[in-house]
Every structure is written in C-alpha cells, then in structure tokens.
Amino acid sequence: MERKLSEASRRATPSPIQQLSHLAQRVGAVNLAEGFPDFPAPVHVKAAAAVAIAADLNQYRHVQGICDVLAETMKRDHGLHVDPLTDFAICCGQSEAFAAAIFAIIDPGDEVLLFDPSYETYQTCIELARGVPVYVPLDPPSWTLNGDKFLKSFTSQTKAVILNSPHNPTGKVFSKEDLLIISEACQKMDCFAITDEVYEYITYDENKHISLASLPGMQERTIITSSLSKTYSVTGWRIGWACAVANIAAAIRNIHVKLTDSAPAPFQEAALTALTSTPDYYESLKKDYGVRRDFILQLLKNYGFHISFEPQDRFCDELDQQRRCGGCAWQWLLPYRS
C-alpha cells in the first residue's frame, strides 16, 4: 500500500534534528541537535500547571486571558495595538501556529522567501501547502542581509517572506536597517510577512529585538508567531500563538481548530502565570544565557577555534556551564553551507 501514500508524504523526509535527538536519548549521549534547555522550568510556572491539572482543567478549552495579556505585551514592547478578542489564535506551539498561518495564505505555486540557513520546519510547511520555497542566503560570517540579493528574489509569484529574528540557527538579531529593507519590499510587492519571534527575550549585549510588524505599514500584512517554549523553558508544553489583523487571524484559527481543536488546557492556564512574570525574570534569563554564551566562547577559543561571529541572541539552549553545548553553537564554527 505504500504506493498509495500521498505525494506530500513521499516528499516529506525525517527530521534530522529529531533523529539525532532520539539517538542521543537512546544511548545517553550529549544532545547537540535540538533546541531545549537542560535546566528546570521556572518554579512558579510549573506550580501553576500543577494547580490547573488538580483543578481538573483538562478538557478542550480556550483561555482568553492569554490573548488579553499578549495584547498588553504587544502594546508595551512593540507599540502595537491589537484586539485580544479577534487578533490571536492560540495553537499547539509556534510550529502549529506557523503551519496554520502558511495554510491560511499559501496557494499552490505561490513562492515564499526564506533566509538561508533556516529552521527546517518552514520549508516543509510551505511544500505541504504546495507553495515554492525560495532561499535568500545570509552572507557569513556575520550573516549579513544583502539587500540586492533579497530584492532580486521577488517575482510576481512571491506571496510571503518568512523572518525568524532573533534567528535560528545563526544567532543573528536582524537590525532596524535590515527590517526596513524587508518591510519596504513587502509593501512594494504587496506580500505577507510571517515572523517567528520565539527568542525575542533572549538577546545579548546591546542587541534588541524589534518586531517587523511595528514598522510603518507592516502590521496589516504581518503574522507574528511565537510561544512559551524558549522564554519559559517549557518546549514540551506546546503553547504558541499567531497574532494578525482580525480577518487573517480568523482564517488561522479556523485551520487550527480543524488540525488540533485546542491547545493543552492546563498549560494554557499556566501560560497566564508565565506571561505575567515580573521584569526581573526576563533580566535573569538574559543574564544566565549570557554567562553560558561567554563560557562556551571562551572554551572554544581555548581549544583553538576562531570565532568569527559572536551570537547576538541565545547561543546554546542546551548549554550547561560545566559540560554542554547546544547544536546551534556549531553553526559559527563549521563552513557555511547553503
């Protein structure tokens, strides 16, 4: 019966990230593949989940309070005015939010621009929607956006641009100048932008995350996706969201409901506690990751590696100060491959 499988399933290949993670788990090896921390989630967030489970908040559920808090956060951090009742879709992690966004806007033959290197899920989602991924290389060693290359990648078939900033796997935080190039092109070509902003709270030094949607003329054409996973060290909880103007958000919600119906109920409740963490939590998060970055950079230098680009956002999700380094770390050491 294998010959009766769909064309999409035949095109899809196993995730090398998951394959390596499963192998590492089986043999007890240090996992250099997948982006998750090896330190505990915050105590107050875990306690909120336990309380929700004990209170039997375990059935299909939509927790509107998440949207209310996120709307306040969007206004505070990015100056965006969004309606919490209409402009959000709460999904099973950023991955599902991204997939639902792609399915909401991409028709067969539509082209989608991706910055290369990029997270592997993006290409697969585009291809499942029968769109065409088009790669725009970032120039090493600083992963610079070449405006000419970017603009020449647009065609009459371009439907969307994918922007992951802070960027996985390079550690680049796209600058205001980068974002202006992207925003001007999106408006000129009348296309969507889908952003992945899961690392927005984990940046180093003077680097600051700027949401593409906050630039003039971009909010109405940008779909922001993010999640609890990285900021609160709960990658297994699968609570994420998409934020867009009402008619686009409604299309994403309609697809989400058909895919998974609702996100995990007790973890939605715990999300309220996580998203209302005090400012010192985020400062501590950046500081702790900064220590890890500096430690691994010095360790690598001690072993004779030449560091040509110091990461501007989270360096190693899995880094334990004494013994571990996440897979993303090696992106600055290996030769660039498109």
Side-chain angles (χ1 to χ4, degrees):
M1 298 298 289
E2 184 176 352
R3 68 184 184 279
K4 293 185 177 291
L5 291 172
S6 71
E7 181 185 345
S9 73
R10 291 195 298 269
R11 285 200 312 269
T13 58
S15 163
I17 294 175
Q18 285 205 350
Q19 285 181 313
L20 286 169
S21 292
H22 292 162
L23 179 60
Q25 188 174 8
R26 284 202 304 271
V27 302
V30 172
N31 184 357
L32 300 181
E34 200 163 16
F36 59 87
D38 68 344
F39 47 84
V43 172
H44 69 292
V45 177
K46 291 189 292 185
V51 168
I53 292 170
D56 203 29
L57 298 174
N58 299 308
Q59 312 309 321
Y60 300 132
R61 189 172 181 82
H62 169 69
V63 178
Q64 178 59 38
I66 297 176
C67 305
D68 297 335
V69 174
L70 287 173
E72 294 173 2
T73 302
M74 295 283 186
K75 182 178 180 180
R76 180 195 69 210
D77 292 349
H78 305 299
L80 294 171
H81 295 271
V82 298
D83 189 333
L85 293 175
T86 61
D87 295 359
F88 288 96
I90 305 302
C91 300
C92 295
Q94 184 276 336
S95 294
E96 194 218 353
F98 180 87
I102 287 290
F103 298 152
I105 67 173
I106 298 303
D107 287 318
D110 287 342
E111 295 178 0
V112 182
L113 302 190
L114 298 162
F115 295 111
D116 186 22
S118 69
Y119 181 50
E120 64 176 5
T121 296
Y122 305 154
Q123 175 180 328
T124 302
C125 289
I126 294 163
E127 290 178 342
L128 287 174
R130 301 200 174 188
V132 180
V134 176
Y135 283 94
V136 180
L138 298 173
D139 294 336
S142 298
W143 309 108
T144 306
L145 172 60
N146 184 308
D148 289 337
K149 290 180 184 177
F150 175 60
L151 294 174
K152 289 177 181 177
S153 299
F154 283 85
T155 73
S156 60
Q157 297 300 112
T158 303
K159 189 71 164 289
V161 175
I162 308 303
L163 174 65
N164 172 208
S165 181
H167 188 252
N168 176 8
T170 68
K172 171 186 173 67
V173 176
F174 282 71
S175 68
K176 182 71 171 291
E177 291 73 21
D178 292 332
L179 299 181
L180 285 170
I181 292 171
I182 296 168
S183 68
E184 289 171 5
C186 287
Q187 292 176 73
K188 180 180 179 181
M189 301 302 293
D190 192 26
C191 66
F192 288 100
I194 303 177
T195 66
D196 174 351
E197 304 183 22
V198 295
Y199 289 109
E200 65 175 308
Y201 291 109
I202 311 175
T203 59
Y204 302 135
D205 307 322
E206 300 303 314
N207 295 291
K208 179 175 172 54
H209 168 65
I210 301 171
S211 179
L212 183 65
S214 68
L215 272 62
M218 287 304 294
Q219 184 172 354
E220 60 265 31
R221 65 178 67 248
T222 301
I223 302 169
I224 299 171
T225 66
S226 193
S227 77
L228 295 184
S229 292
K230 310 299 183 178
T231 304
Y232 306 101
S233 305
V234 288
T235 60
W237 283 16
R238 314 317 298 143
I239 300 294
W241 51 86
C243 176
V245 293
N247 58 339
I248 301 172
I252 295 170
R253 278 196 305 274
N254 291 342
I255 291 171
H256 154 70
V257 168
K258 301 302 190 299
L259 290 174
T260 60
D261 197 288
S262 71
F267 298 142
Q268 286 193 65
E269 294 291 337
L272 289 174
T273 297
L275 292 167
T276 54
S277 296
T278 56
D280 62 300
Y281 170 77
Y282 303 98
E283 290 302 318
S284 177
L285 183 74
K286 292 176 66 171
K287 180 179 179 181
D288 289 348
Y289 270 104
V291 170
R292 288 171 163 79
R293 178 195 68 162
D294 294 343
F295 176 86
I296 193 63
L297 286 174
Q298 188 58 53
L299 180 68
L300 293 171
K301 290 175 182 177
N302 291 346
Y303 276 102
F305 285 99
H306 172 68
I307 308 298
S308 58
F309 173 65
E310 292 193 3
Q312 300 165 343
D313 73 88
R314 76 5 172 184
F315 185 46
C316 305
D317 286 342
E318 300 84 12
L319 178 61
D320 177 304
Q321 288 189 43
Q322 301 302 319
R323 58 192 175 86
R324 294 196 180 186
C325 168
C328 55
W330 305 108
Q331 297 293 337
W332 299 284
L333 307 173
L334 300 176
Y336 172 70
R337 296 177 186 272
S338 61

